[in-house]
Amino acid sequence: MKVATWNVNSIRIRTGHVIDWLSQNRVDVLCIQETKVVDTEFPRALFEELGYHLYTSGQKSYNGVAIASCQPLKDVSCSFYDVLSNLDPEWDEQKRIITGSIDNVRIVNLYVPNGSSIGSEKYNYKLRWLTVLREYLKSLLVTSPSICMCGDFNIALEDRDIHEGAIAVNQIMASVPERQALRDVLSLGFSDVFRKFTSESGQYSWWDYRAAAFRRNLGWRIDHHYLTPDLYERAKSCSIDVTPRKLTQPSDHAPVVVEF
Amino acid sequence: MKVATWNVNSIRIRTGHVIDWLSQNRVDVLCIQETKVVDTEFPRALFEELGYHLYTSGQKSYNGVAIASCQPLKDVSCSFYDVLSNLDPEWDEQKRIITGSIDNVRIVNLYVPNGSSIGSEKYNYKLRWLTVLREYLKSLLVTSPSICMCGDFNIALEDRDIHEGAIAVNQIMASVPERQALRDVLSLGFSDVFRKFTSESGQYSWWDYRAAAFRRNLGWRIDHHYLTPDLYERAKSCSIDVTPRKLTQPSDHAPVVVEF
DNA sequence: GAGCTAGTAG
DNA sequence: CTACTAGCTC
């Protein structure tokens, strides 16, 4: 099974790129982030014409996630509250999670908050959001032991996930508390499958639009697949497809594909 | 001599269209309206590479006029006040006029206020602006008897200048006071040279972006060349070039070319 | 409908 | 730099 993750930075602007990519790369599941549209505005028909079932959880302007899947998904949910009934439902206001099952694998598609800048209100929200995610996954694992959690984590776990120029600068997406919050999540039993196959630096999934960052490969690897041990063992490959980032009007992120 | 007028609705957006059109239609003079940029932002170099001298009078966001001319212009002015020294200089704040001489012809390039809606403050401004223009031309004629006044007048002088559906509706660009104010200007000795060659309706220079107005030819002829009698007599043709309006991301106006 | 400003977000 | 909002203009 091939599962891809791609922050498209507006599905409205990127419909063409995404449909073209899906036609050329017929993955079983595509997890999309930053759709930036309410569900009624999502260009469903084009995905369905390609034979994909589509599940969306969007809002106006910001965030928004979706899953396109060749097979229909079971038990689709867009809510932390569905699993954590004691949770303040405010945690579901921002549309950052969508999940569903295919065979015995639970796909969890995430758009982790960016956090703006270290110490800001948004930064604290990001850290608290990650603790909510941890509780959520802890409960989920009880009934769903095989999980493929992927998406835009807005965190580079290690220095090798960042281009040289940004290492050692204590900045957003690389601060110690963010990395620790993500490691606390992963300690439930998840592993970064990209690192099963590639140990060197230099491969990234996001490049700032500014300063010609892509041309100079000044990127970050912040889009990940975290797998439970069974899936991690089965995994055959995990790679970043840089080609769509080279098109005109690209997303700032590239798709990442895992096969297990 | 060929003199064209074209409201480009943002020179930034339309640079490609305008440069392409000028390459194919090497008019002696191109009068441009609604450039919407300050002079330092105007893409001068591209015009100069085509061999044109460029004269601009722009402001941020709104209005803005320019002249591109194969020969250098003499006595360029962007100001009513230059001729009407008793005028309140506030009339020069909106960049709506640029003028210069070539041979013995004075080119006056105008962007007449739109007027928003009948009876509004902007409407009254439009009517008063036309009385200022009349005084301006009266003085100008003393030293410059040969004038080619062109631009976006935002007025359809006669019913045959408007598509069927809008005739008889007392609306902006066709109201009696606007037409009268323009006729008062023309009474100084100007004639609409387009009507020397074409008496029928059905040819327009502006189509609203909305409601597929261009496809249905629901247009208005509001971009004009008004000539003094000597030039009017010499005039050999006057035609509207609809082709640029068919391109993608077009201006809502088409260029109009007179030859005299 | 398609320009523009400003501000926000990333 | 490239998305988004809202309000403005034409």
Side-chain angles (χ1 to χ4, degrees):
Chain A
M1 180 159 71
K2 284 188 179 177
V3 178
T5 179
W6 194 2
N7 178 321
V8 299
N9 188 12
S10 171
I11 190 64
R12 258 192 298 233
I13 302 294
R14 229 70 63 198
T15 304
H17 286 12
V18 176
I19 291 295
D20 288 350
W21 187 85
L22 255 191
S23 311
Q24 303 292 119
N25 302 269
R26 300 205 49 98
V27 293
D28 299 280
V29 177
L30 173 61
C31 294
I32 305 172
Q33 304 88 37
E34 280 209 270
T35 58
K36 298 188 178 181
V37 287
V38 294
D39 295 346
T40 51
E41 304 271 300
F42 198 106
R44 303 190 66 83
L46 293 164
F47 288 81
E48 288 168 352
E49 283 165 22
L50 279 184
Y52 282 89
H53 298 83
L54 190 70
Y55 307 88
T56 60
S57 178
Q59 63 180 94
K60 193 160 70 164
S61 310
Y62 303 119
N63 314 314
V65 285
I67 302 179
S69 173
C70 285
Q71 285 184 241
L73 294 184
K74 281 169 286 183
D75 304 322
V76 172
S77 164
C78 311
S79 156
F80 286 129
Y81 186 76
D82 278 353
V83 168
L84 298 174
S85 52
N86 290 325
L87 187 73
D88 184 343
E90 282 198 3
W91 287 104
D92 284 328
E93 279 177 10
Q94 298 185 15
K95 304 308 184 193
R96 295 180 176 279
I97 181 168
I98 186 166
T99 175
S101 294
I102 180 168
D103 301 329
N104 286 316
V105 178
R106 186 126 194 107
I107 307 290
V108 177
N109 176 17
L110 300 176
Y111 176 51
V112 177
N114 169 279
S116 191
S117 60
I118 294 172
S120 68
E121 193 156 325
K122 290 189 168 68
Y123 180 79
N124 293 327
Y125 181 83
K126 180 180 193 173
L127 296 179
R128 286 185 293 129
W129 193 92
L130 289 164
T131 68
V132 171
L133 175 64
R134 187 179 196 279
E135 292 311 301
Y136 174 85
L137 293 168
K138 202 168 150 187
S139 289
L140 192 67
L141 280 163
V142 175
T143 53
S144 302
S146 294
I147 296 178
C148 170
M149 166 172 67
C150 62
D152 176 1
F153 286 80
N154 270 314
I155 294 171
L157 249 199
E158 303 175 290
D159 285 352
R160 61 177 166 166
D161 298 322
I162 315 174
H163 68 90
E164 290 278 340
I167 299 173
V169 183
N170 190 37
Q171 63 186 303
I172 195 69
M173 300 197 297
S175 71
V176 171
E178 290 169 83
R179 287 175 168 181
Q180 189 54 52
L182 180 51
R183 282 197 197 98
D184 289 346
V185 170
L186 305 183
S187 69
L188 295 169
F190 293 92
S191 300
D192 178 358
V193 70
F194 181 82
R195 289 300 177 203
K196 176 173 174 180
F197 305 101
T198 306
S199 57
E200 318 84 63
S201 184
Q203 290 196 43
Y204 310 118
S205 65
W206 173 79
W207 302 259
D208 199 308
Y209 283 123
R210 288 162 283 191
F214 181 67
R215 188 181 51 72
R216 303 192 285 159
N217 198 28
L218 304 181
W220 295 60
R221 198 176 66 86
I222 58 178
D223 300 275
H224 310 139
H225 294 82
Y226 291 110
L227 307 185
T228 48
D230 53 332
L231 300 179
Y232 187 89
E233 287 308 314
R234 273 163 53 187
K236 292 202 269 288
S237 69
C238 181
S239 60
I240 301 169
D241 184 359
V242 161
T243 47
R245 180 66 239 236
K246 296 175 179 168
L247 303 173
T248 50
Q249 261 202 311
S251 168
D252 42 354
H253 295 253
V256 187
V257 187
V258 67
E259 182 168 13
F260 52 72
Chain B
M1 178 158 70
K2 285 189 179 178
V3 178
T5 179
W6 194 3
N7 178 322
V8 299
N9 188 14
S10 171
I11 190 64
R12 258 192 297 232
I13 302 295
R14 230 69 64 198
T15 305
H17 286 11
V18 175
I19 291 295
D20 288 351
W21 188 86
L22 255 190
S23 310
Q24 304 291 120
N25 302 269
R26 299 205 49 97
V27 294
D28 299 280
V29 177
L30 173 60
C31 294
I32 305 173
Q33 304 89 36
E34 280 209 270
T35 58
K36 299 188 177 181
V37 286
V38 294
D39 295 346
T40 50
E41 304 271 299
F42 198 106
R44 302 190 66 84
L46 292 164
F47 288 81
E48 288 168 352
E49 283 164 22
L50 279 183
Y52 282 89
H53 298 83
L54 190 70
Y55 307 89
T56 62
S57 178
Q59 63 182 94
K60 191 158 71 164
S61 311
Y62 302 120
N63 314 314
V65 285
I67 301 179
S69 173
C70 285
Q71 284 184 242
L73 294 183
K74 281 168 285 183
D75 303 322
V76 171
S77 164
C78 311
S79 157
F80 286 128
Y81 186 77
D82 278 353
V83 167
L84 297 174
S85 53
N86 290 325
L87 187 73
D88 183 343
E90 282 197 5
W91 286 104
D92 285 328
E93 278 177 9
Q94 298 185 16
K95 303 308 183 192
R96 296 181 176 278
I97 181 167
I98 186 166
T99 175
S101 294
I102 180 168
D103 301 329
N104 286 317
V105 177
R106 186 125 194 106
I107 307 290
V108 178
N109 176 18
L110 299 176
Y111 176 51
V112 177
N114 167 279
S116 191
S117 60
I118 294 172
S120 68
E121 193 156 324
K122 289 189 168 67
Y123 180 79
N124 293 326
Y125 180 82
K126 180 180 192 172
L127 296 178
R128 285 185 293 128
W129 193 91
L130 288 164
T131 68
V132 171
L133 175 63
R134 187 181 196 278
E135 290 311 300
Y136 174 83
L137 292 168
K138 203 168 150 187
S139 289
L140 192 66
L141 280 162
V142 175
T143 51
S144 302
S146 294
I147 295 178
C148 169
M149 166 172 67
C150 62
D152 175 1
F153 285 80
N154 270 315
I155 294 171
L157 249 199
E158 303 175 290
D159 285 352
R160 60 178 166 166
D161 299 322
I162 315 175
H163 68 89
E164 290 278 341
I167 298 172
V169 184
N170 189 35
Q171 63 186 300
I172 195 68
M173 301 198 294
S175 72
V176 171
E178 290 170 84
R179 287 175 168 181
Q180 190 54 52
L182 180 51
R183 282 198 197 96
D184 288 346
V185 170
L186 304 183
S187 70
L188 295 170
F190 292 92
S191 300
D192 179 358
V193 70
F194 181 82
R195 289 299 177 203
K196 176 173 174 179
F197 305 101
T198 306
S199 56
E200 318 86 62
S201 184
Q203 291 198 43
Y204 309 118
S205 65
W206 173 79
W207 302 260
D208 198 308
Y209 283 122
R210 288 162 284 191
F214 180 68
R215 187 181 51 73
R216 304 192 285 158
N217 198 29
L218 303 180
W220 295 60
R221 199 175 66 85
I222 58 179
D223 300 274
H224 310 140
H225 294 83
Y226 291 109
L227 306 185
T228 47
D230 52 333
L231 300 179
Y232 187 88
E233 288 309 315
R234 272 163 52 187
K236 293 203 266 291
S237 69
C238 181
S239 60
I240 302 168
D241 183 0
V242 162
T243 47
R245 180 65 240 235
K246 297 175 178 168
L247 303 173
T248 50
Q249 262 202 312
S251 168
D252 43 353
H253 295 252
V256 187
V257 188
V258 67
E259 182 167 14
F260 53 72

